Amino acid sequence: MTEVDRRTSLKCVAALAASSFTAGAARADEARAAPLGRAGGSQTLRPITTGPSQTQGMARFAARTRYEDLTAQRRQRLKIAILDSLACAIAALEASPIQAWLAQAKTFGGSDARCTLIGGGHANVLYAGSYNAGLVRYLDYMDSYLAGAEVCHPSDNTGGVLSACEYAGRSGKEFLTALAVAYQVEATLTGAAGFMAHGFDLTTQLAFSLGAGVSKVLGLDEAQATSAIGICASSGVPLLVVRTTPISEWKGLLPAQLTFGGIQGTLLASHGLTGPKYVIEGPEGLAHALGQPIHVDWDRVQLDCFDRLALKSYNSAVPTQSAIFAMLELRKAHRFDPAAVESIQAEVFQDAYDFTGGGKFGPKTDVHTKEDADHSLPYLLAVAAIDGEVHTAQLTSERIARPDVQSLLKKVQVRPNDGFTARYPAQMPARITVRLTNGQSYTQEVSDYPGFPTRPFTWDDVVTKFDNLVGDRADAGLRKNIQDAVSSLESIQVKDLMQLLGQVRSRVTNATA
C-alpha cells in the first residue's frame, strides 16, 4: 500500500467513524431529553406482547452471522482486540479481588471442571467463564465502543465466550464468529438507547450480548436463543451507581458476575427453559424503564462495530485517554519541573468531565485506591506530569499515596468545553495548560490519541502492549506462542489457545511456590 493509499484509507475510516458516531450521539441526546414514562413524563409507551420482538431479532442475527461476514480488516481488528484483552487478563492475575474470585472458582467450580482458568487450573464453564471475564475487565485497560453519551466495553464478552467455546469444543474460527456477534450486539444496543442517562450501568447491554454470543457457541435454534437472551437480560439490572464516587472494587468485577449469569441462563435455555420474549418492549420491560422505545432492525445489522472500536494506551477510564495523551505530549515538548507547577487546567468534553473530572459522578480529588485513581482526571494528569506514563505502576497504592502526586493533583482544574463536546465522539478533544510559578505557561491540544478509531492500534502496537503488560508472567517463547495462536485462530481449536493461557503464571503463585 502506498502512502497516498494509506492516507486515503484512513480518511475513509475516519469519515465512516464520524458519520456513525454522529448518529449515535444524536440517539443518545434524544435519550437524555426523552421523558420518563414511569416518572410522570408525558410520553407513554404502548407495550408490545405479540409479533416479532427485539430478542428474536438478536437471535436471528446470531444465527445468520458467518465467519465470512467479517471482512479481512475487521477480522484483524477483532484479533487485535482479543490479544489486547488477554494482555489485560494476564496482567490482572495478582489483584486481590481477582484472587478472591479465583478462590471461589476453585472451591465451587470443581464439578465438570473442563475449562481452563487463565493463569492455571480448571473449573466448570460457569466459574471459568466468569473468572476469565473478571480478569479481562479488572484493570480497566480494555477496549471501548463510544456512541454519543453512551459507552460500553465489548471485551467484557471475551472471557465468557472463550470459556463457552472451550466447553463446547469449538474451533478458533467459531470463536471469532461468536465473539463478533457478541461485540456487535452490545455495540448496537449502546447506540440505540440512553442507558446511563437513566441510571443503568453500561454493562446492561452485556447481558443481551452474552446471551447472543453464547447461544451462537452452543448452536441454539431461534426459539432457544430468544429465551436465552431474555433470561440473561432480565436476570440482573446493573445500576450506574457502581461508577460514582466513592468507587468500589466491585466496579471491576461486575461483568464477571453478569458472565456467570449469562452462561447459566443460556445453558438453561439450551435445555428448553423459556425466557421473556418481550424483555425490551413488553409490559414493564427495558423500554418502559428507560421511558423510550428501543428498536433495531436486526436484519440489517452488519459486523461493523470494529471500525469504531477504541483501545487504550493508558490504564485509565476511556474518557481520560486523550487528556493524558495531551499531557504527555506537552511534557515531551516542554521539560518542566512538576514541583514548579502552579496550576494545570484541563478542558475536556462533557462526558469526560462528568465521569472523571468532578462532574455529576462526584468529586475526584480524594484519591486513595486504584478505583479512585483510574477514574480521577486530576490524579491521572498529575501522575502523567511527574512519571511520564500512566500504566499499572501508576495505580498501585504506594504510588497513589506519595506526596508529590497528592499535592499536584490538588492543582488540577477540569472544566467542560462545549466546542469539544460537540466534536465528541467522532473526535476526543482535550486541551491541557500548565502554568509554572515563574509565570511561564504551556498548552497542548489534541483531537484523539493512539488507539482511538482515527488512529487504531496495529498488530505490532498490541504486541508491544501485550509484552509490557504480561512481563515475566510468561517467558518470551510463551508470549510469542500466545500471540501466534491469536493471529492464526482460524487454523487452531480454542482448547489450543487455552492450553497456552493455562501456562501463564501469577506472580503470587511464583512468590509462594
Side-chain angles (χ1 to χ4, degrees), residues 332-370:
K332 286 191 293 186
H334 308 283
R335 295 290 183 177
F336 62 88
D337 179 2
V341 170
E342 181 176 275
S343 68
I344 297 173
Q345 185 177 91
E347 295 178 70
V348 295
F349 54 97
Q350 185 68 45
D351 283 353
Y353 173 70
D354 284 339
F355 263 95
T356 66
K360 68 179 182 179
F361 279 43
K364 296 297 179 181
T365 54
D366 188 18
V367 180
H368 302 286
T369 67
K370 169 198 174 298

mmCIF file of all heavy atoms in Angstrom, residues 332-370:
data_model
loop_
_atom_site.group_PDB
_atom_site.id
_atom_site.type_symbol
_atom_site.label_atom_id
_atom_site.label_comp_id
_atom_site.label_asym_id
_atom_site.label_seq_id
_atom_site.Cartn_x
_atom_site.Cartn_y
_atom_site.Cartn_z
ATOM 1 N N LYS A 332 6.741 16.178 26.762
ATOM 2 C CA LYS A 332 7.866 15.921 25.858
ATOM 3 C C LYS A 332 8.352 17.204 25.188
ATOM 4 O O LYS A 332 9.553 17.394 24.974
ATOM 5 C CB LYS A 332 7.462 14.900 24.789
ATOM 6 C CG LYS A 332 7.367 13.484 25.310
ATOM 7 C CD LYS A 332 7.228 12.468 24.193
ATOM 8 C CE LYS A 332 5.918 12.594 23.462
ATOM 9 N NZ LYS A 332 5.717 11.514 22.455
ATOM 10 N N ALA A 333 7.424 18.093 24.869
ATOM 11 C CA ALA A 333 7.784 19.343 24.173
ATOM 12 C C ALA A 333 8.392 20.370 25.116
ATOM 13 O O ALA A 333 9.201 21.211 24.691
ATOM 14 C CB ALA A 333 6.553 19.919 23.485
ATOM 15 N N HIS A 334 8.001 20.331 26.391
ATOM 16 C CA HIS A 334 8.461 21.333 27.362
ATOM 17 C C HIS A 334 8.854 20.611 28.651
ATOM 18 O O HIS A 334 7.982 20.201 29.421
ATOM 19 C CB HIS A 334 7.356 22.356 27.642
ATOM 20 C CG HIS A 334 6.775 22.967 26.410
ATOM 21 N ND1 HIS A 334 7.404 23.944 25.678
ATOM 22 C CD2 HIS A 334 5.603 22.708 25.763
ATOM 23 C CE1 HIS A 334 6.662 24.274 24.647
ATOM 24 N NE2 HIS A 334 5.562 23.543 24.658
ATOM 25 N N ARG A 335 10.104 20.482 28.887
ATOM 26 C CA ARG A 335 10.605 19.723 30.038
ATOM 27 C C ARG A 335 10.484 20.549 31.326
ATOM 28 O O ARG A 335 11.463 21.024 31.877
ATOM 29 C CB ARG A 335 12.057 19.323 29.800
ATOM 30 C CG ARG A 335 12.246 18.366 28.646
ATOM 31 C CD ARG A 335 11.692 16.993 28.980
ATOM 32 N NE ARG A 335 11.913 16.018 27.911
ATOM 33 C CZ ARG A 335 11.584 14.749 27.982
ATOM 34 N NH1 ARG A 335 11.005 14.277 29.071
ATOM 35 N NH2 ARG A 335 11.814 13.935 26.961
ATOM 36 N N PHE A 336 9.256 20.708 31.809
ATOM 37 C CA PHE A 336 9.042 21.499 33.011
ATOM 38 C C PHE A 336 9.242 20.636 34.266
ATOM 39 O O PHE A 336 9.157 19.406 34.226
ATOM 40 C CB PHE A 336 7.632 22.109 33.011
ATOM 41 C CG PHE A 336 6.522 21.093 33.007
ATOM 42 C CD1 PHE A 336 6.022 20.575 34.200
ATOM 43 C CD2 PHE A 336 5.958 20.647 31.807
ATOM 44 C CE1 PHE A 336 4.996 19.647 34.201
ATOM 45 C CE2 PHE A 336 4.931 19.719 31.803
ATOM 46 C CZ PHE A 336 4.450 19.214 32.993
ATOM 47 N N ASP A 337 9.493 21.299 35.357
ATOM 48 C CA ASP A 337 9.648 20.641 36.653
ATOM 49 C C ASP A 337 8.275 20.560 37.318
ATOM 50 O O ASP A 337 7.672 21.597 37.622
ATOM 51 C CB ASP A 337 10.615 21.441 37.530
ATOM 52 C CG ASP A 337 10.811 20.818 38.905
ATOM 53 O OD1 ASP A 337 10.231 19.742 39.172
ATOM 54 O OD2 ASP A 337 11.540 21.428 39.721
ATOM 55 N N PRO A 338 7.747 19.351 37.562
ATOM 56 C CA PRO A 338 6.425 19.248 38.196
ATOM 57 C C PRO A 338 6.344 19.976 39.534
ATOM 58 O O PRO A 338 5.269 20.451 39.913
ATOM 59 C CB PRO A 338 6.242 17.739 38.377
ATOM 60 C CG PRO A 338 7.095 17.123 37.304
ATOM 61 C CD PRO A 338 8.287 18.027 37.202
ATOM 62 N N ALA A 339 7.456 20.067 40.238
ATOM 63 C CA ALA A 339 7.436 20.766 41.528
ATOM 64 C C ALA A 339 7.251 22.274 41.358
ATOM 65 O O ALA A 339 6.903 22.969 42.318
ATOM 66 C CB ALA A 339 8.737 20.485 42.280
ATOM 67 N N ALA A 340 7.479 22.783 40.135
ATOM 68 C CA ALA A 340 7.332 24.211 39.868
ATOM 69 C C ALA A 340 5.986 24.558 39.249
ATOM 70 O O ALA A 340 5.782 25.683 38.788
ATOM 71 C CB ALA A 340 8.458 24.684 38.945
ATOM 72 N N VAL A 341 5.052 23.611 39.244
ATOM 73 C CA VAL A 341 3.737 23.842 38.648
ATOM 74 C C VAL A 341 2.853 24.626 39.610
ATOM 75 O O VAL A 341 2.707 24.267 40.787
ATOM 76 C CB VAL A 341 3.058 22.510 38.275
ATOM 77 C CG1 VAL A 341 1.599 22.745 37.874
ATOM 78 C CG2 VAL A 341 3.819 21.831 37.140
ATOM 79 N N GLU A 342 2.268 25.683 39.094
ATOM 80 C CA GLU A 342 1.305 26.464 39.877
ATOM 81 C C GLU A 342 -0.105 25.937 39.664
ATOM 82 O O GLU A 342 -0.894 25.860 40.613
ATOM 83 C CB GLU A 342 1.377 27.930 39.475
ATOM 84 C CG GLU A 342 0.431 28.830 40.256
ATOM 85 C CD GLU A 342 0.605 30.289 39.877
ATOM 86 O OE1 GLU A 342 1.500 30.935 40.459
ATOM 87 O OE2 GLU A 342 -0.127 30.756 38.977
ATOM 88 N N SER A 343 -0.430 25.571 38.409
ATOM 89 C CA SER A 343 -1.757 25.031 38.128
ATOM 90 C C SER A 343 -1.728 24.245 36.824
ATOM 91 O O SER A 343 -0.875 24.465 35.965
ATOM 92 C CB SER A 343 -2.805 26.149 38.021
ATOM 93 O OG SER A 343 -2.572 26.937 36.873
ATOM 94 N N ILE A 344 -2.664 23.312 36.717
ATOM 95 C CA ILE A 344 -2.898 22.567 35.477
ATOM 96 C C ILE A 344 -4.377 22.701 35.152
ATOM 97 O O ILE A 344 -5.237 22.388 35.987
ATOM 98 C CB ILE A 344 -2.533 21.083 35.623
ATOM 99 C CG1 ILE A 344 -1.039 20.912 35.904
ATOM 100 C CG2 ILE A 344 -2.929 20.305 34.362
ATOM 101 C CD1 ILE A 344 -0.628 19.479 36.226
ATOM 102 N N GLN A 345 -4.655 23.195 33.969
ATOM 103 C CA GLN A 345 -6.049 23.327 33.538
ATOM 104 C C GLN A 345 -6.317 22.337 32.416
ATOM 105 O O GLN A 345 -5.571 22.283 31.437
ATOM 106 C CB GLN A 345 -6.333 24.745 33.063
ATOM 107 C CG GLN A 345 -7.806 24.973 32.710
ATOM 108 C CD GLN A 345 -8.059 26.411 32.307
ATOM 109 O OE1 GLN A 345 -7.979 26.765 31.141
ATOM 110 N NE2 GLN A 345 -8.357 27.254 33.299
ATOM 111 N N ALA A 346 -7.371 21.565 32.574
ATOM 112 C CA ALA A 346 -7.764 20.585 31.567
ATOM 113 C C ALA A 346 -9.146 20.936 31.036
ATOM 114 O O ALA A 346 -10.100 21.045 31.811
ATOM 115 C CB ALA A 346 -7.779 19.181 32.158
ATOM 116 N N GLU A 347 -9.226 21.114 29.724
ATOM 117 C CA GLU A 347 -10.518 21.324 29.060
ATOM 118 C C GLU A 347 -10.857 20.048 28.304
ATOM 119 O O GLU A 347 -10.062 19.563 27.489
ATOM 120 C CB GLU A 347 -10.445 22.505 28.105
ATOM 121 C CG GLU A 347 -10.215 23.834 28.796
ATOM 122 C CD GLU A 347 -10.096 24.968 27.796
ATOM 123 O OE1 GLU A 347 -11.113 25.320 27.165
ATOM 124 O OE2 GLU A 347 -8.958 25.468 27.625
ATOM 125 N N VAL A 348 -12.032 19.511 28.575
ATOM 126 C CA VAL A 348 -12.428 18.221 28.021
ATOM 127 C C VAL A 348 -13.888 18.265 27.604
ATOM 128 O O VAL A 348 -14.607 19.227 27.893
ATOM 129 C CB VAL A 348 -12.215 17.090 29.052
ATOM 130 C CG1 VAL A 348 -10.727 16.914 29.380
ATOM 131 C CG2 VAL A 348 -13.005 17.359 30.341
ATOM 132 N N PHE A 349 -14.327 17.212 26.926
ATOM 133 C CA PHE A 349 -15.739 17.113 26.557
ATOM 134 C C PHE A 349 -16.565 16.760 27.795
ATOM 135 O O PHE A 349 -16.031 16.307 28.813
ATOM 136 C CB PHE A 349 -15.932 16.098 25.431
ATOM 137 C CG PHE A 349 -15.353 14.735 25.704
ATOM 138 C CD1 PHE A 349 -16.147 13.707 26.184
ATOM 139 C CD2 PHE A 349 -14.001 14.479 25.480
ATOM 140 C CE1 PHE A 349 -15.619 12.458 26.443
ATOM 141 C CE2 PHE A 349 -13.461 13.235 25.726
ATOM 142 C CZ PHE A 349 -14.269 12.218 26.210
ATOM 143 N N GLN A 350 -17.873 16.964 27.707
ATOM 144 C CA GLN A 350 -18.740 16.889 28.881
ATOM 145 C C GLN A 350 -18.666 15.548 29.595
ATOM 146 O O GLN A 350 -18.592 15.482 30.834
ATOM 147 C CB GLN A 350 -20.190 17.177 28.480
ATOM 148 C CG GLN A 350 -21.166 17.235 29.658
ATOM 149 C CD GLN A 350 -20.922 18.440 30.551
ATOM 150 O OE1 GLN A 350 -20.729 19.556 30.077
ATOM 151 N NE2 GLN A 350 -20.923 18.236 31.865
ATOM 152 N N ASP A 351 -18.697 14.427 28.852
ATOM 153 C CA ASP A 351 -18.696 13.120 29.493
ATOM 154 C C ASP A 351 -17.397 12.863 30.249
ATOM 155 O O ASP A 351 -17.398 12.218 31.304
ATOM 156 C CB ASP A 351 -18.932 12.019 28.464
ATOM 157 C CG ASP A 351 -20.396 11.925 28.049
ATOM 158 O OD1 ASP A 351 -21.219 12.622 28.664
ATOM 159 O OD2 ASP A 351 -20.711 11.161 27.123
ATOM 160 N N ALA A 352 -16.274 13.352 29.731
ATOM 161 C CA ALA A 352 -15.011 13.207 30.451
ATOM 162 C C ALA A 352 -15.065 13.970 31.773
ATOM 163 O O ALA A 352 -14.567 13.496 32.804
ATOM 164 C CB ALA A 352 -13.852 13.699 29.593
ATOM 165 N N TYR A 353 -15.664 15.144 31.735
ATOM 166 C CA TYR A 353 -15.815 15.933 32.964
ATOM 167 C C TYR A 353 -16.731 15.221 33.955
ATOM 168 O O TYR A 353 -16.420 15.107 35.147
ATOM 169 C CB TYR A 353 -16.357 17.315 32.633
ATOM 170 C CG TYR A 353 -16.695 18.150 33.848
ATOM 171 C CD1 TYR A 353 -15.680 18.642 34.668
ATOM 172 C CD2 TYR A 353 -18.016 18.424 34.179
ATOM 173 C CE1 TYR A 353 -15.984 19.400 35.795
ATOM 174 C CE2 TYR A 353 -18.339 19.182 35.300
ATOM 175 C CZ TYR A 353 -17.313 19.654 36.102
ATOM 176 O OH TYR A 353 -17.620 20.398 37.218
ATOM 177 N N ASP A 354 -17.871 14.722 33.461
ATOM 178 C CA ASP A 354 -18.833 14.077 34.355
ATOM 179 C C ASP A 354 -18.268 12.795 34.971
ATOM 180 O O ASP A 354 -18.431 12.539 36.161
ATOM 181 C CB ASP A 354 -20.127 13.761 33.597
ATOM 182 C CG ASP A 354 -20.980 14.989 33.368
ATOM 183 O OD1 ASP A 354 -20.804 15.983 34.100
ATOM 184 O OD2 ASP A 354 -21.819 14.970 32.448
ATOM 185 N N PHE A 355 -17.632 11.978 34.149
ATOM 186 C CA PHE A 355 -17.110 10.701 34.608
ATOM 187 C C PHE A 355 -15.899 10.862 35.519
ATOM 188 O O PHE A 355 -15.774 10.173 36.536
ATOM 189 C CB PHE A 355 -16.685 9.840 33.407
ATOM 190 C CG PHE A 355 -17.712 8.841 32.964
ATOM 191 C CD1 PHE A 355 -18.589 9.147 31.939
ATOM 192 C CD2 PHE A 355 -17.790 7.601 33.554
ATOM 193 C CE1 PHE A 355 -19.533 8.225 31.518
ATOM 194 C CE2 PHE A 355 -18.720 6.673 33.139
ATOM 195 C CZ PHE A 355 -19.602 6.981 32.113
ATOM 196 N N THR A 356 -14.965 11.748 35.141
ATOM 197 C CA THR A 356 -13.641 11.717 35.768
ATOM 198 C C THR A 356 -13.121 13.077 36.233
ATOM 199 O O THR A 356 -12.040 13.132 36.821
ATOM 200 C CB THR A 356 -12.605 11.135 34.784
ATOM 201 O OG1 THR A 356 -12.445 12.033 33.665
ATOM 202 C CG2 THR A 356 -13.035 9.773 34.275
ATOM 203 N N GLY A 357 -13.860 14.140 35.968
ATOM 204 C CA GLY A 357 -13.334 15.467 36.265
ATOM 205 C C GLY A 357 -13.988 16.189 37.413
ATOM 206 O O GLY A 357 -13.655 17.348 37.689
ATOM 207 N N GLY A 358 -14.956 15.544 38.087
ATOM 208 C CA GLY A 358 -15.636 16.197 39.195
ATOM 209 C C GLY A 358 -17.039 16.629 38.874
ATOM 210 O O GLY A 358 -17.653 17.379 39.647
ATOM 211 N N GLY A 359 -17.591 16.154 37.747
ATOM 212 C CA GLY A 359 -18.959 16.479 37.357
ATOM 213 C C GLY A 359 -19.973 15.653 38.115
ATOM 214 O O GLY A 359 -19.826 15.396 39.315
ATOM 215 N N LYS A 360 -20.994 15.164 37.413
ATOM 216 C CA LYS A 360 -22.140 14.548 38.100
ATOM 217 C C LYS A 360 -21.817 13.218 38.769
ATOM 218 O O LYS A 360 -22.597 12.737 39.598
ATOM 219 C CB LYS A 360 -23.307 14.389 37.126
ATOM 220 C CG LYS A 360 -23.097 13.373 36.028
ATOM 221 C CD LYS A 360 -24.345 13.307 35.147
ATOM 222 C CE LYS A 360 -24.219 12.269 34.044
ATOM 223 N NZ LYS A 360 -25.433 12.203 33.212
ATOM 224 N N PHE A 361 -20.670 12.613 38.452
ATOM 225 C CA PHE A 361 -20.307 11.357 39.106
ATOM 226 C C PHE A 361 -19.587 11.580 40.438
ATOM 227 O O PHE A 361 -19.191 10.624 41.088
ATOM 228 C CB PHE A 361 -19.439 10.500 38.190
ATOM 229 C CG PHE A 361 -20.225 9.721 37.175
ATOM 230 C CD1 PHE A 361 -21.278 10.303 36.491
ATOM 231 C CD2 PHE A 361 -19.920 8.406 36.898
ATOM 232 C CE1 PHE A 361 -22.008 9.591 35.550
ATOM 233 C CE2 PHE A 361 -20.651 7.683 35.965
ATOM 234 C CZ PHE A 361 -21.694 8.280 35.287
ATOM 235 N N GLY A 362 -19.394 12.837 40.821
ATOM 236 C CA GLY A 362 -18.828 13.127 42.123
ATOM 237 C C GLY A 362 -17.425 13.692 42.051
ATOM 238 O O GLY A 362 -16.763 13.654 41.015
ATOM 239 N N PRO A 363 -16.940 14.239 43.179
ATOM 240 C CA PRO A 363 -15.605 14.849 43.226
ATOM 241 C C PRO A 363 -14.503 13.818 42.982
ATOM 242 O O PRO A 363 -14.658 12.644 43.300
ATOM 243 C CB PRO A 363 -15.530 15.427 44.643
ATOM 244 C CG PRO A 363 -16.546 14.662 45.435
ATOM 245 C CD PRO A 363 -17.633 14.307 44.480
ATOM 246 N N LYS A 364 -13.370 14.289 42.438
ATOM 247 C CA LYS A 364 -12.307 13.375 42.012
ATOM 248 C C LYS A 364 -10.932 13.749 42.561
ATOM 249 O O LYS A 364 -9.912 13.391 41.966
ATOM 250 C CB LYS A 364 -12.252 13.351 40.475
ATOM 251 C CG LYS A 364 -13.513 12.790 39.817
ATOM 252 C CD LYS A 364 -13.736 11.333 40.191
ATOM 253 C CE LYS A 364 -15.000 10.772 39.563
ATOM 254 N NZ LYS A 364 -15.207 9.353 39.950
ATOM 255 N N THR A 365 -10.888 14.430 43.691
ATOM 256 C CA THR A 365 -9.596 14.816 44.253
ATOM 257 C C THR A 365 -9.259 14.068 45.541
ATOM 258 O O THR A 365 -8.158 14.231 46.068
ATOM 259 C CB THR A 365 -9.556 16.329 44.529
ATOM 260 O OG1 THR A 365 -10.675 16.693 45.354
ATOM 261 C CG2 THR A 365 -9.610 17.113 43.221
ATOM 262 N N ASP A 366 -10.163 13.244 46.045
ATOM 263 C CA ASP A 366 -9.884 12.423 47.227
ATOM 264 C C ASP A 366 -9.538 11.025 46.723
ATOM 265 O O ASP A 366 -10.391 10.149 46.597
ATOM 266 C CB ASP A 366 -11.110 12.400 48.148
ATOM 267 C CG ASP A 366 -10.823 11.717 49.476
ATOM 268 O OD1 ASP A 366 -9.632 11.567 49.825
ATOM 269 O OD2 ASP A 366 -11.783 11.299 50.159
ATOM 270 N N VAL A 367 -8.272 10.821 46.422
ATOM 271 C CA VAL A 367 -7.819 9.638 45.680
ATOM 272 C C VAL A 367 -6.894 8.796 46.549
ATOM 273 O O VAL A 367 -5.816 9.265 46.957
ATOM 274 C CB VAL A 367 -7.087 10.056 44.387
ATOM 275 C CG1 VAL A 367 -6.610 8.829 43.613
ATOM 276 C CG2 VAL A 367 -8.000 10.919 43.511
ATOM 277 N N HIS A 368 -7.314 7.544 46.816
ATOM 278 C CA HIS A 368 -6.508 6.676 47.674
ATOM 279 C C HIS A 368 -6.412 5.234 47.162
ATOM 280 O O HIS A 368 -5.580 4.477 47.655
ATOM 281 C CB HIS A 368 -7.066 6.672 49.104
ATOM 282 C CG HIS A 368 -7.120 8.030 49.718
ATOM 283 N ND1 HIS A 368 -5.996 8.703 50.157
ATOM 284 C CD2 HIS A 368 -8.177 8.866 49.929
ATOM 285 C CE1 HIS A 368 -6.346 9.885 50.629
ATOM 286 N NE2 HIS A 368 -7.661 10.023 50.503
ATOM 287 N N THR A 369 -7.256 4.850 46.233
ATOM 288 C CA THR A 369 -7.266 3.477 45.737
ATOM 289 C C THR A 369 -7.143 3.473 44.220
ATOM 290 O O THR A 369 -7.299 4.510 43.563
ATOM 291 C CB THR A 369 -8.571 2.760 46.116
ATOM 292 O OG1 THR A 369 -9.667 3.371 45.400
ATOM 293 C CG2 THR A 369 -8.838 2.851 47.606
ATOM 294 N N LYS A 370 -6.861 2.292 43.666
ATOM 295 C CA LYS A 370 -6.823 2.146 42.211
ATOM 296 C C LYS A 370 -8.136 2.599 41.597
ATOM 297 O O LYS A 370 -8.160 3.274 40.557
ATOM 298 C CB LYS A 370 -6.559 0.687 41.831
ATOM 299 C CG LYS A 370 -6.756 0.398 40.352
ATOM 300 C CD LYS A 370 -6.926 -1.085 40.093
ATOM 301 C CE LYS A 370 -7.281 -1.353 38.634
ATOM 302 N NZ LYS A 370 -8.565 -0.743 38.213
#
